[in-house]
Amino acid sequence: MAFTDLQAKARRHLWPHYTEMSRVEDGSLPVIVRGDGCTVEDAHGRRFLDGLAGLFCVQIGYSHGAEIGRAAAAQLEELPYYPNWSYAHPRAIELAAEVADLAPEGLERVFFVSGGADAVETAWKLACQYHQERGERRWKVVSRHMAWHGTSLGALSINGVPGARLPFEPLVPGAVRTRNTARFRRPAEETDAQFCAFLLDDLEQAILREGPSSIAMVIMEPVQNVGGALTAPAGYFEGVRAICDRYGILLCADEVITGFGRMGEWFASTRYGIRPDLITCAKGLSSGYAPIGAVIASEEMAAPFLERGSMFLHGLTFGAHPVSAAIALKNLEIMRRERIVEHVAENQGAFEATLRQLLSLPIVGDIRGGGFFYTIELVSDPDTRETFDAEQSRRILHDFVSPRIFDSGLICRTDDRASPLLQLSPPLIAGQAEFDRITAILGDALTEAGKLLP
Ligand SMILES: Cc1ncc(COP(=O)(O)O)c(C=O)c1O
């Protein structure tokens, strides 16, 4: 279909996600038509280095469609659909075993869902019912300020981004918030240990305030995305685990972004020593080639259900869809074969070092993250770390930096929900050529952006 026809049809019929309708109306919504390697191409033939891996998910890049397509076609011929609801099918069983094999020790039981928010909703319900099976009534969840956990109403209730929640309140009761690990504006003299103690105290106080026996689970991303690739100080996750254990609360690691190699391990929980009872994951499980997610639960969590022979009261028509499961299996096979996770572990230092060249620009205040997941935080004054005001955010970040980067052939995310940030999460096959290109394009845009500051 010609681009002008596509545009006309989009204007009339398409309702894109989290997109101003004015962009559909004025025809500025990019229409991406194909991809290869780390590159995607739009309907005008313009090519872009995809610095966001679609939406933090295309781990293997865009060149495996034919191989994955053959696996999907074979599955469609063999068994196009059957539910995982009162029945099983081979791909669901094989994928469950494969995911359990890759997951941190002790996490053995896999419940498949359609995506990330589904996984979060499922984890919440599973945590509640786990407690109930053991004779306790617990229903609340603790999450961190600004942490993104999805947009369906349950996941949105847990979601820590106020702007996303507000129009839909009141939401599901029982969502409690604690501090996140944003460090950039903490006192310069504060040590890691002091910061860690401060955060853990905030978590424990929130739990005590709410009543520990009402709290079913704590959910945290190993590296928090919103707020800008927020890593935790040493000792934090050990402390969170100890607090959860003290009050009989389950710990869920939301690895929807960090799972499947992004941090240089199959799961970031391994890298950061998190020891969760539950992991929520999606995106990279299929490299985005099919919609599928999962909750991976510990043997301890499954035990009361197995002992009593009881049923988890939850199900989805498309949970473990055979074609999605076949695609995820093929994706994981490719990831193993091409040593994608090892590639991230071996190249994360080079990526970070290349990006850190941007710290010489006064507008760049901080570069943080790990693996293939980094954030560049912008400041209006490097000495005081003063952030942008609303007018600077609009004029510099949205009206200048964002289009300049895109027009230069790079897709990345500009985000000012917490502070002005550029987020990078390229396909996990990226190498030095991509690191250099990302850094060159950002360097050019940020040099010019710096001239717009007073
Ligand atoms: C940490 C985290 N959890 C959950 C979700 C929701 O995933 P989905 O968009 O597949 O529902 C996201 C989405 O980006 C996420 O980053």
Side-chain angles (χ1 to χ4, degrees), residues 87-131:
Y87 297 89
H89 56 76
R91 297 304 91 73
I93 298 167
E94 289 160 10
L95 185 60
E98 177 71 355
V99 169
D101 184 45
L102 299 172
E105 216 184 306
L107 296 175
E108 294 291 343
R109 189 69 58 169
V110 187
F111 188 101
F112 290 108
V113 295
S114 313
D118 272 354
V120 170
E121 303 255 352
T122 301
W124 190 359
K125 286 182 71 178
L126 183 55
C128 292
Q129 201 184 330
Y130 163 83
H131 291 297

Side-chain angles (χ1 to χ4, degrees), residues 359-391:
L359 279 170
S360 63
L361 300 172
I363 194 171
V364 175
D366 193 23
I367 295 180
R368 53 182 180 259
F372 277 16
F373 187 33
Y374 291 97
T375 285
I376 298 168
E377 173 149 2
L378 306 184
V379 288
S380 60
D381 183 327
D383 299 323
T384 61
R385 299 188 167 183
E386 181 77 30
T387 191
F388 287 4
D389 58 29
E391 189 273 332

Side-chain angles (χ1 to χ4, degrees), residues 115-118 120 148-150 221 254 256-257 282-283:
D118 272 354
V120 170
W148 190 265
H149 294 290
E221 295 157 271
D254 187 349
V256 168
I257 286 181
K283 300 186 187 270

